[in-house]
Amino acid sequence: MRFARDFAILTALMALGTWLLGWWCVPLVAAAAAIWARSRRGVILKATLAGACAWVILLVVQELFGSSVTRFGSDLGVSLGVPAALPLAMTIILPGILAASAAATVVAIAGLRRTARL
């Protein structure tokens, strides 16, 4: 239950932060989540999934209320010479990677600090 709650909060913060301030909010929110996590277990997975889901939400909202995301992905795929789904897939994968790397960095630093105190 706590995983789902934390995941939903992270996803909402990442989506809202990206919409208001830009893509760099994804790693910032993931790092903050890793800092404030009571348990380091699962925080990287939560951040990774939340980053990807946040951008899925943003793409769906853009598709519903703005321009055609699928058409853009298709046009970009044609111009790059790759399958049409690849640009959209990379758009979803990249925030997950950013969030995972930020959370993993914080967890690693926290682990180093913990072992240095011994």
Side-chain angles (χ1 to χ4, degrees):
M1 188 67 165
R2 197 166 96 197
F3 184 91
R5 182 200 64 204
D6 292 348
F7 171 74
I9 291 169
L10 277 177
T11 302
L13 287 174
M14 288 180 184
L16 187 61
T18 300
W19 183 59
L20 294 174
L21 301 172
W23 66 266
W24 51 270
C25 281
V26 171
L28 287 178
V29 171
I35 289 170
W36 284 303
R38 291 185 197 124
S39 170
R40 301 282 185 227
R41 297 189 66 177
V43 71
I44 298 171
L45 178 62
K46 278 185 241 180
T48 304
L49 295 175
C53 286
W55 278 48
V56 167
I57 291 168
L58 292 171
L59 288 173
V60 168
V61 168
Q62 185 66 28
E63 182 72 34
L64 292 175
F65 297 108
S67 61
S68 174
V69 174
T70 53
R71 169 125 185 184
F72 174 73
S74 176
D75 292 346
L76 186 59
V78 168
S79 68
L80 293 174
V82 297
L86 187 61
L88 291 177
M90 293 306 296
T91 302
I92 295 166
I93 291 169
L94 179 64
I97 293 170
L98 288 171
S101 62
T105 301
V106 169
V107 168
I109 290 171
L112 288 175
R113 291 183 66 203
R114 188 172 29 252
T115 57
R117 289 183 186 161
L118 297 176

